[in-house]
Amino acid sequence: QGAVKRQALYACSTCTPPGAEPAGICLACSYECHGTHRLFELYTKRNFRCDCGNSKFKNLQCKLLPEKGKVNSGNKYNDNFYGLYCTCKRPYPDPEDEIPDEMIQCIVCEDWFHGRHLGAVPPESGDFHEMVCQACMKRCHFLWAYASQLAVFLFVGMCLPVPPLTKASSLEDEGIVLKGEESEEQKKEIKKESGVEHHDTKEEKQLEQFNEPSTSSGYCRKFIQKFPMEIAETTSEFSCGCEEPICKLKELQSKPFVKKDTATFWPSNWRSKLCTCEDCLKMYSELEVQFLTDECDTVLAYENKGTSDQETERRDPLMDTLNSMNRVQQVELICEYNDLKTELTDYLRRFADEGTVVKREDIQQFFEEFQSRKRRRTNRMQYYCS
Protein backbone atom coordinates (compact mmCIF):
# COMPACT_ATOMS: atom_id res chain seq x y z
CA GLN A 1 0.00 0.00 0.00
CA GLY A 2 2.99 2.30 0.21
CA ALA A 3 3.40 4.57 3.22
CA VAL A 4 0.40 4.06 5.51
CA LYS A 5 -1.01 7.18 7.14
CA ARG A 6 -0.83 5.60 10.61
CA GLN A 7 -0.23 1.98 11.60
CA ALA A 8 1.02 -0.21 14.43
CA LEU A 9 4.73 -0.99 14.03
CA TYR A 10 7.37 -3.26 15.54
CA ALA A 11 11.17 -3.42 15.43
CA CYS A 12 12.93 -6.79 15.31
CA SER A 13 16.11 -6.89 17.39
CA THR A 14 16.79 -10.43 16.12
CA CYS A 15 17.09 -9.22 12.51
CA THR A 16 18.31 -5.67 13.14
CA PRO A 17 20.36 -5.65 16.38
CA PRO A 18 22.09 -2.51 17.74
CA GLY A 19 24.68 -1.39 15.23
CA ALA A 20 22.58 -2.45 12.24
CA GLU A 21 20.37 -0.06 10.29
CA PRO A 22 17.04 0.66 12.01
CA ALA A 23 13.99 -0.95 10.44
CA GLY A 24 10.28 -1.20 11.17
CA ILE A 25 7.83 -3.98 10.37
CA CYS A 26 4.03 -3.98 10.19
CA LEU A 27 1.68 -6.01 12.39
CA ALA A 28 1.10 -8.67 9.70
CA CYS A 29 4.83 -9.27 9.19
CA SER A 30 5.37 -9.44 12.96
CA TYR A 31 3.14 -12.55 12.92
CA GLU A 32 4.05 -14.07 9.57
CA CYS A 33 7.78 -13.36 9.21
CA HIS A 34 9.06 -12.67 12.76
CA GLY A 35 6.84 -14.86 14.93
CA THR A 36 9.73 -16.41 16.92
CA HIS A 37 11.92 -13.27 17.00
CA ARG A 38 12.44 -10.69 19.73
CA LEU A 39 10.32 -7.65 18.89
CA PHE A 40 9.96 -4.11 20.26
CA GLU A 41 6.47 -2.67 20.12
CA LEU A 42 6.58 0.87 18.73
CA TYR A 43 2.83 1.51 19.05
CA THR A 44 1.95 3.68 16.03
CA LYS A 45 3.95 5.78 13.55
CA ARG A 46 2.71 7.99 10.74
CA ASN A 47 3.57 7.77 7.03
CA PHE A 48 5.58 4.56 7.38
CA ARG A 49 6.09 1.68 4.96
CA CYS A 50 7.01 -1.81 6.21
CA ASP A 51 10.74 -2.62 5.80
CA CYS A 52 10.41 -6.39 6.24
CA GLY A 53 12.64 -8.24 3.77
CA ASN A 54 14.25 -5.19 2.17
CA SER A 55 18.00 -4.43 2.07
CA LYS A 56 18.10 -3.82 5.83
CA PHE A 57 17.42 -7.53 6.40
CA LYS A 58 20.39 -9.64 5.23
CA ASN A 59 18.97 -13.16 5.41
CA LEU A 60 15.22 -12.61 5.47
CA GLN A 61 12.67 -12.48 2.69
CA CYS A 62 9.19 -11.19 3.40
CA LYS A 63 6.66 -14.03 3.15
CA LEU A 64 3.75 -11.72 2.41
CA LEU A 65 5.35 -9.53 -0.28
CA PRO A 66 8.75 -10.84 -1.44
CA GLU A 67 9.20 -8.18 -4.14
CA LYS A 68 10.05 -4.97 -2.29
CA GLY A 69 12.11 -1.87 -2.87
CA LYS A 70 15.57 -1.87 -1.30
CA VAL A 71 14.85 1.06 1.02
CA ASN A 72 11.90 3.17 2.06
CA SER A 73 13.33 6.67 1.82
CA GLY A 74 10.20 8.29 3.26
CA ASN A 75 10.45 6.42 6.59
CA LYS A 76 11.74 8.22 9.68
CA TYR A 77 13.63 6.40 12.42
CA ASN A 78 14.76 7.16 15.97
CA ASP A 79 16.10 5.29 19.00
CA ASN A 80 12.71 3.62 19.49
CA PHE A 81 13.69 1.15 16.76
CA TYR A 82 16.46 -0.14 19.08
CA GLY A 83 14.09 -0.33 22.07
CA LEU A 84 15.29 2.95 23.63
CA TYR A 85 13.01 5.81 24.57
CA CYS A 86 12.87 9.30 26.08
CA THR A 87 15.77 11.73 26.60
CA CYS A 88 17.28 9.20 29.01
CA LYS A 89 17.57 6.60 26.20
CA ARG A 90 16.38 3.73 28.38
CA PRO A 91 14.33 0.63 27.47
CA TYR A 92 10.71 0.19 28.45
CA PRO A 93 9.98 -1.46 30.73
CA ASP A 94 13.29 -0.62 32.39
CA PRO A 95 14.44 -3.32 34.86
CA GLU A 96 16.77 -0.82 36.56
CA ASP A 97 14.14 1.90 37.02
CA GLU A 98 12.23 1.48 40.26
CA ILE A 99 10.25 4.72 39.91
CA PRO A 100 6.72 4.09 38.57
CA ASP A 101 6.18 6.58 35.75
CA GLU A 102 3.80 6.82 32.83
CA MET A 103 5.29 7.26 29.36
CA ILE A 104 3.70 9.75 26.95
CA GLN A 105 4.21 9.96 23.18
CA CYS A 106 5.09 13.28 21.53
CA ILE A 107 2.79 13.87 18.56
CA VAL A 108 5.53 15.59 16.52
CA CYS A 109 8.64 13.39 16.83
CA GLU A 110 6.57 10.37 18.03
CA ASP A 111 9.19 9.42 20.62
CA TRP A 112 8.03 8.28 24.08
CA PHE A 113 8.96 10.19 27.25
CA HIS A 114 8.81 9.57 30.98
CA GLY A 115 6.47 12.05 32.63
CA ARG A 116 9.29 13.24 34.90
CA HIS A 117 11.54 14.05 31.93
CA LEU A 118 9.23 16.55 30.24
CA GLY A 119 10.26 19.66 32.19
CA ALA A 120 6.71 19.91 33.52
CA VAL A 121 4.40 17.84 35.67
CA PRO A 122 1.86 16.27 33.28
CA PRO A 123 -1.80 16.94 34.12
CA GLU A 124 -4.14 14.05 34.77
CA SER A 125 -4.28 11.75 31.74
CA GLY A 126 -7.95 12.54 31.15
CA ASP A 127 -7.30 16.29 31.05
CA PHE A 128 -5.28 16.31 27.83
CA HIS A 129 -5.14 14.35 24.58
CA GLU A 130 -1.78 15.19 23.02
CA MET A 131 1.70 16.26 24.09
CA VAL A 132 4.53 18.11 22.35
CA CYS A 133 7.95 17.46 23.92
CA GLN A 134 10.57 20.07 24.84
CA ALA A 135 12.75 19.55 21.76
CA CYS A 136 9.78 19.80 19.39
CA MET A 137 8.52 22.95 21.11
CA LYS A 138 11.93 24.50 20.44
CA ARG A 139 11.84 23.46 16.79
CA CYS A 140 8.17 24.46 16.36
CA HIS A 141 8.45 27.63 18.41
CA PHE A 142 5.30 29.11 16.82
CA LEU A 143 3.28 26.76 19.05
CA TRP A 144 4.10 28.91 22.09
CA ALA A 145 1.83 31.65 20.75
CA TYR A 146 -1.03 29.12 20.65
CA ALA A 147 -0.11 27.59 24.01
CA SER A 148 -1.16 30.68 25.96
CA GLN A 149 -4.69 30.26 24.59
CA LEU A 150 -5.08 26.52 23.96
CA ALA A 151 -2.65 24.45 26.04
CA VAL A 152 -4.10 22.53 28.98
CA PHE A 153 -1.10 23.02 31.22
CA LEU A 154 2.35 24.46 30.76
CA PHE A 155 4.47 24.40 33.89
CA VAL A 156 4.10 24.43 37.63
CA GLY A 157 3.42 27.69 39.39
CA MET A 158 2.28 29.79 36.44
CA CYS A 159 -1.13 30.26 34.86
CA LEU A 160 -1.61 31.64 31.38
CA PRO A 161 -2.26 34.06 29.84
CA VAL A 162 0.21 36.38 31.59
CA PRO A 163 -0.53 40.14 31.74
CA PRO A 164 1.82 42.47 29.84
CA LEU A 165 5.02 43.46 31.63
CA THR A 166 7.26 46.42 30.94
CA LYS A 167 10.40 44.53 31.93
CA ALA A 168 11.27 41.05 30.77
CA SER A 169 14.72 40.93 32.33
CA SER A 170 13.38 39.69 35.69
CA LEU A 171 12.38 36.41 34.05
CA GLU A 172 15.43 35.90 31.88
CA ASP A 173 17.27 33.92 34.54
CA GLU A 174 14.44 31.37 34.56
CA GLY A 175 14.66 30.88 30.79
CA ILE A 176 11.29 32.50 30.13
CA VAL A 177 10.88 34.76 27.13
CA LEU A 178 7.92 37.06 27.55
CA LYS A 179 6.57 39.18 24.73
CA GLY A 180 5.04 42.28 26.29
CA GLU A 181 5.40 46.03 26.13
CA GLU A 182 9.14 46.29 25.54
CA SER A 183 10.99 49.51 25.00
CA GLU A 184 12.41 50.36 21.57
CA GLU A 185 15.88 49.30 22.78
CA GLN A 186 14.54 45.95 23.98
CA LYS A 187 12.70 45.39 20.68
CA LYS A 188 15.87 45.99 18.68
CA GLU A 189 17.85 43.70 20.96
CA ILE A 190 15.28 40.90 20.68
CA LYS A 191 15.25 41.23 16.89
CA LYS A 192 19.04 40.99 16.75
CA GLU A 193 19.08 37.91 18.98
CA SER A 194 16.48 36.15 16.83
CA GLY A 195 18.39 36.98 13.65
CA VAL A 196 15.63 39.23 12.32
CA GLU A 197 16.28 42.94 11.94
CA HIS A 198 13.79 45.26 10.21
CA HIS A 199 15.05 48.35 8.45
CA ASP A 200 11.93 49.14 6.46
CA THR A 201 9.49 51.55 8.07
CA LYS A 202 6.65 49.86 6.17
CA GLU A 203 7.29 46.60 8.03
CA GLU A 204 7.30 48.48 11.35
CA LYS A 205 3.93 49.92 10.41
CA GLN A 206 2.54 46.45 9.66
CA LEU A 207 3.78 45.27 13.06
CA GLU A 208 1.87 48.07 14.76
CA GLN A 209 -1.27 47.06 12.90
CA PHE A 210 -0.97 43.49 14.22
CA ASN A 211 -0.68 44.91 17.75
CA GLU A 212 -4.11 46.50 17.44
CA PRO A 213 -6.93 44.75 19.33
CA SER A 214 -8.10 41.77 17.31
CA THR A 215 -11.66 41.59 16.05
CA SER A 216 -13.96 38.63 16.52
CA SER A 217 -15.84 39.33 13.30
CA GLY A 218 -13.19 37.79 11.05
CA TYR A 219 -13.10 40.79 8.66
CA CYS A 220 -9.73 42.08 7.51
CA ARG A 221 -8.61 45.43 8.93
CA LYS A 222 -8.82 47.25 5.58
CA PHE A 223 -12.47 46.27 5.36
CA ILE A 224 -13.16 47.36 8.95
CA GLN A 225 -11.53 50.74 8.39
CA LYS A 226 -13.53 51.30 5.19
CA PHE A 227 -16.95 50.11 6.42
CA PRO A 228 -17.03 50.49 10.24
CA MET A 229 -20.74 51.37 10.43
CA GLU A 230 -21.86 48.49 8.21
CA ILE A 231 -20.03 46.00 10.43
CA ALA A 232 -21.46 47.54 13.59
CA GLU A 233 -25.03 47.32 12.24
CA THR A 234 -24.97 43.71 11.05
CA THR A 235 -24.35 40.42 12.78
CA SER A 236 -24.31 38.30 9.63
CA GLU A 237 -21.06 37.01 8.16
CA PHE A 238 -20.23 37.91 4.60
CA SER A 239 -17.08 38.04 2.51
CA CYS A 240 -15.40 41.37 1.87
CA GLY A 241 -13.65 39.99 -1.22
CA CYS A 242 -10.31 41.25 0.06
CA GLU A 243 -7.20 39.19 -0.62
CA GLU A 244 -5.73 39.95 2.80
CA PRO A 245 -6.74 37.03 5.06
CA ILE A 246 -6.23 37.42 8.77
CA CYS A 247 -3.47 35.22 10.17
CA LYS A 248 -4.45 33.76 13.53
CA LEU A 249 -0.80 33.19 14.42
CA LYS A 250 0.22 36.83 13.87
CA GLU A 251 -2.72 37.99 15.97
CA LEU A 252 -1.65 35.71 18.82
CA GLN A 253 1.99 36.74 18.47
CA SER A 254 0.96 40.36 18.92
CA LYS A 255 -0.25 39.51 22.42
CA PRO A 256 1.88 38.60 25.46
CA PHE A 257 2.91 34.96 25.64
CA VAL A 258 5.43 32.89 27.57
CA LYS A 259 8.12 30.51 26.33
CA LYS A 260 9.98 28.06 28.51
CA ASP A 261 11.99 24.87 28.12
CA THR A 262 9.11 22.48 28.83
CA ALA A 263 6.73 20.15 27.07
CA THR A 264 3.15 21.29 26.46
CA PHE A 265 -0.16 19.45 26.77
CA TRP A 266 -3.12 20.01 24.47
CA PRO A 267 -6.90 19.28 24.44
CA SER A 268 -8.64 17.15 21.84
CA ASN A 269 -9.74 19.91 19.45
CA TRP A 270 -6.68 22.17 19.49
CA ARG A 271 -5.53 21.29 15.95
CA SER A 272 -8.65 22.84 14.43
CA LYS A 273 -7.64 26.18 15.98
CA LEU A 274 -4.32 26.41 14.10
CA CYS A 275 -4.09 28.98 11.33
CA THR A 276 -4.26 27.64 7.77
CA CYS A 277 -3.37 30.81 5.86
CA GLU A 278 -0.89 30.56 3.00
CA ASP A 279 2.09 31.73 5.08
CA CYS A 280 1.36 29.32 7.92
CA LEU A 281 0.89 26.37 5.57
CA LYS A 282 4.27 27.19 4.01
CA MET A 283 5.82 27.31 7.50
CA TYR A 284 4.30 23.91 8.41
CA SER A 285 5.73 22.45 5.20
CA GLU A 286 9.21 23.83 5.90
CA LEU A 287 9.11 22.39 9.43
CA GLU A 288 7.62 19.11 8.10
CA VAL A 289 4.65 19.31 10.46
CA GLN A 290 1.80 19.59 7.94
CA PHE A 291 0.02 16.83 9.85
CA LEU A 292 -0.70 19.20 12.75
CA THR A 293 -3.71 20.61 10.91
CA ASP A 294 -5.10 17.13 10.21
CA GLU A 295 -7.40 15.98 13.02
CA CYS A 296 -7.53 12.49 11.46
CA ASP A 297 -3.79 12.18 12.16
CA THR A 298 -4.34 11.90 15.92
CA VAL A 299 -3.90 8.61 17.75
CA LEU A 300 -7.42 9.07 19.13
CA ALA A 301 -8.82 9.18 15.57
CA TYR A 302 -6.77 6.07 14.73
CA GLU A 303 -8.15 4.20 17.76
CA ASN A 304 -11.73 5.30 17.01
CA LYS A 305 -11.37 4.05 13.43
CA GLY A 306 -10.09 0.70 14.73
CA THR A 307 -13.08 0.41 17.07
CA SER A 308 -15.47 1.23 14.23
CA ASP A 309 -13.81 -1.34 11.94
CA GLN A 310 -14.09 -4.02 14.63
CA GLU A 311 -17.79 -3.34 15.06
CA THR A 312 -18.26 -3.63 11.29
CA GLU A 313 -16.37 -6.94 11.24
CA ARG A 314 -18.49 -8.32 14.09
CA ARG A 315 -21.69 -7.73 12.12
CA ASP A 316 -22.97 -10.67 10.10
CA PRO A 317 -22.92 -9.60 6.42
CA LEU A 318 -25.60 -12.17 5.56
CA MET A 319 -28.01 -10.74 8.17
CA ASP A 320 -27.30 -7.17 6.97
CA THR A 321 -28.16 -8.24 3.42
CA LEU A 322 -31.31 -10.09 4.51
CA ASN A 323 -32.58 -7.08 6.43
CA SER A 324 -32.46 -4.99 3.26
CA MET A 325 -34.72 -7.44 1.30
CA ASN A 326 -38.40 -8.27 1.16
CA ARG A 327 -39.67 -11.67 2.32
CA VAL A 328 -39.58 -13.39 -1.11
CA GLN A 329 -36.01 -12.28 -1.70
CA GLN A 330 -35.05 -13.41 1.79
CA VAL A 331 -36.39 -16.95 1.18
CA GLU A 332 -34.62 -17.20 -2.18
CA LEU A 333 -31.31 -16.02 -0.72
CA ILE A 334 -31.51 -18.46 2.21
CA CYS A 335 -32.20 -21.36 -0.14
CA GLU A 336 -29.28 -20.43 -2.40
CA TYR A 337 -27.01 -20.00 0.64
CA ASN A 338 -27.94 -23.42 2.02
CA ASP A 339 -27.32 -25.05 -1.37
CA LEU A 340 -23.89 -23.41 -1.61
CA LYS A 341 -22.99 -24.38 1.95
CA THR A 342 -24.01 -28.05 1.45
CA GLU A 343 -22.23 -28.49 -1.87
CA LEU A 344 -19.05 -26.70 -0.72
CA THR A 345 -18.90 -28.78 2.47
CA ASP A 346 -19.25 -32.04 0.48
CA TYR A 347 -16.62 -30.87 -2.03
CA LEU A 348 -14.05 -29.95 0.64
CA ARG A 349 -14.67 -33.15 2.61
CA ARG A 350 -13.05 -35.13 -0.23
CA PHE A 351 -9.81 -33.22 0.22
CA ALA A 352 -9.93 -33.75 3.99
CA ASP A 353 -10.48 -37.49 3.60
CA GLU A 354 -7.59 -37.79 1.11
CA GLY A 355 -5.30 -35.48 3.13
CA THR A 356 -4.60 -33.24 0.11
CA VAL A 357 -4.20 -29.44 0.00
CA VAL A 358 -6.98 -27.30 -1.46
CA LYS A 359 -5.54 -25.08 -4.19
CA ARG A 360 -6.81 -21.96 -5.88
CA GLU A 361 -7.62 -23.96 -9.03
CA ASP A 362 -9.82 -26.34 -7.01
CA ILE A 363 -11.92 -23.50 -5.61
CA GLN A 364 -12.27 -21.90 -9.05
CA GLN A 365 -13.39 -25.23 -10.51
CA PHE A 366 -15.97 -25.70 -7.76
CA PHE A 367 -17.61 -22.32 -8.36
CA GLU A 368 -17.61 -22.79 -12.13
CA GLU A 369 -19.43 -26.12 -11.72
CA PHE A 370 -21.75 -24.67 -9.09
CA GLN A 371 -22.76 -21.78 -11.38
CA SER A 372 -23.33 -24.26 -14.25
CA ARG A 373 -25.61 -26.47 -12.11
CA LYS A 374 -27.45 -23.38 -10.88
CA ARG A 375 -28.16 -22.25 -14.46
CA ARG A 376 -29.46 -25.72 -15.40
CA ARG A 377 -31.80 -25.75 -12.41
CA THR A 378 -33.06 -22.27 -13.28
CA ASN A 379 -33.72 -23.17 -16.91
CA ARG A 380 -35.68 -26.30 -15.96
CA MET A 381 -37.99 -24.65 -13.43
CA GLN A 382 -40.54 -22.22 -14.86
CA TYR A 383 -43.57 -20.87 -13.08
CA TYR A 384 -46.63 -19.15 -14.52
CA CYS A 385 -49.42 -17.15 -12.95
CA SER A 386 -52.97 -18.54 -13.49
Side-chain angles (χ1 to χ4, degrees):
Q1 297 179 13
V4 179
K5 187 171 183 178
R6 181 172 292 281
Q7 65 172 318
L9 290 178
Y10 296 80
C12 180
S13 63
T14 305
C15 297
T16 55
E21 289 188 80
I25 60 175
C26 67
L27 177 64
C29 285
S30 72
Y31 292 135
E32 191 72 19
C33 311
H34 304 263
T36 59
H37 297 180
R38 187 183 176 211
L39 302 177
F40 296 120
E41 185 177 2
L42 304 177
Y43 197 43
T44 70
K45 301 284 185 184
R46 68 170 63 87
N47 299 330
F48 199 93
R49 187 175 190 179
C50 179
D51 288 319
C52 180
N54 66 11
S55 61
K56 297 187 175 187
F57 295 80
K58 295 180 180 178
N59 301 313
L60 179 80
Q61 186 179 50
C62 180
K63 297 177 183 178
L64 299 177
L65 189 65
E67 298 298 326
K68 285 190 173 180
K70 291 185 177 180
V71 293
N72 294 316
S73 57
N75 288 356
K76 293 185 178 180
Y77 306 91
N78 57 18
D79 288 327
N80 294 175
F81 290 83
Y82 297 116
L84 303 177
Y85 307 90
C86 192
T87 54
C88 59
K89 306 301 179 187
R90 296 293 301 168
Y92 182 85
D94 188 352
E96 298 179 9
D97 186 4
E98 298 179 356
I99 302 174
D101 197 356
E102 181 182 17
M103 295 200 79
I104 307 172
Q105 188 180 33
C106 172
I107 57 142
V108 178
C109 66
E110 297 190 299
D111 194 359
W112 290 83
F113 296 85
H114 295 100
R116 63 184 186 274
H117 293 158
L118 291 171
V121 178
E124 294 295 327
S125 58
D127 295 339
F128 73 98
H129 283 79
E130 297 187 298
M131 181 272 291
V132 180
C133 71
Q134 294 165 277
C136 290
M137 286 301 297
K138 285 182 180 179
R139 188 169 71 87
C140 305
H141 52 84
F142 71 91
L143 287 175
W144 283 109
Y146 290 101
S148 62
Q149 303 291 326
L150 302 177
V152 174
F153 187 86
L154 287 177
F155 38 88
V156 178
M158 185 167 290
C159 299
L160 295 178
V162 179
L165 298 180
T166 55
K167 292 184 180 180
S169 58
S170 60
L171 297 174
E172 287 178 357
D173 295 337
E174 298 182 24
I176 303 174
V177 179
L178 180 65
K179 185 171 181 179
E181 299 175 2
E182 305 97 343
S183 65
E184 289 299 316
E185 291 294 325
Q186 289 173 327
K187 287 180 180 178
K188 290 178 181 178
E189 190 64 31
I190 291 172
K191 288 175 186 176
K192 287 179 182 178
E193 290 177 358
S194 63
V196 180
E197 191 167 1
H198 297 278
H199 299 286
D200 194 342
T201 56
K202 186 178 179 181
E203 292 178 0
E204 292 291 342
K205 208 167 187 179
Q206 289 176 344
L207 188 62
E208 290 175 8
Q209 287 180 344
F210 283 126
N211 285 330
E212 294 172 7
S214 61
T215 64
S216 59
S217 64
Y219 300 106
C220 69
R221 287 180 173 79
K222 287 182 180 178
F223 189 77
I224 293 172
Q225 290 169 359
K226 191 173 181 180
F227 304 104
M229 294 302 297
E230 286 82 349
I231 292 175
E233 291 172 0
T234 182
T235 57
S236 62
E237 294 288 338
F238 57 90
S239 173
C240 63
C242 180
E243 295 182 0
E244 184 194 359
I246 291 178
C247 176
K248 296 179 186 177
L249 177 59
K250 288 180 179 178
E251 288 206 351
L252 289 172
Q253 288 175 334
S254 69
K255 302 173 183 178
F257 65 90
V258 175
K259 292 171 66 177
K260 194 173 181 180
D261 187 20
T262 67
T264 51
F265 306 89
W266 305 82
S268 59
N269 62 341
W270 74 280
R271 295 190 185 212
S272 63
K273 306 292 195 303
L274 297 180
C275 183
T276 55
C277 73
E278 186 177 344
D279 290 340
C280 285
L281 290 177
K282 182 180 178 182
M283 175 183 65
Y284 302 149
S285 179
E286 291 171 350
L287 293 172
E288 298 182 341
V289 293
Q290 304 97 313
F291 53 82
L292 286 180
T293 59
D294 182 6
E295 294 190 76
C296 294
D297 170 77
T298 66
V299 174
L300 180 61
Y302 171 81
E303 291 175 342
N304 289 341
K305 183 179 182 300
T307 302
S308 175
D309 290 346
Q310 287 178 353
E311 290 176 353
T312 302
E313 289 173 2
R314 281 197 294 266
R315 292 208 311 263
D316 187 338
L318 178 60
M319 294 306 300
D320 287 345
T321 305
L322 284 171
N323 290 333
S324 65
M325 297 178 172
N326 60 42
R327 182 166 180 78
V328 175
Q329 291 173 323
Q330 289 176 347
V331 172
E332 290 178 348
L333 178 60
I334 291 172
C335 290
E336 292 289 344
Y337 175 78
N338 287 332
D339 288 343
L340 172 63
K341 181 179 178 182
T342 302
E343 293 194 30
L344 183 59
T345 302
D346 294 339
Y347 181 74
L348 294 177
R349 186 176 291 115
R350 299 204 310 261
F351 291 89
D353 294 340
E354 296 171 3
T356 56
V357 176
V358 182
K359 298 180 180 178
R360 181 194 296 268
E361 295 79 14
D362 299 323
I363 297 298
Q364 289 176 339
Q365 180 183 349
F366 166 80
F367 279 103
E368 288 173 0
E369 294 176 355
F370 179 78
Q371 289 291 342
S372 176
R373 289 193 298 273
K374 179 181 174 183
R375 281 194 294 270
R376 287 200 299 270
R377 287 198 303 268
T378 304
N379 293 337
R380 246 192 345 261
M381 299 169 64
Q382 295 183 2
Y383 299 90
Y384 298 93
C385 296
S386 58

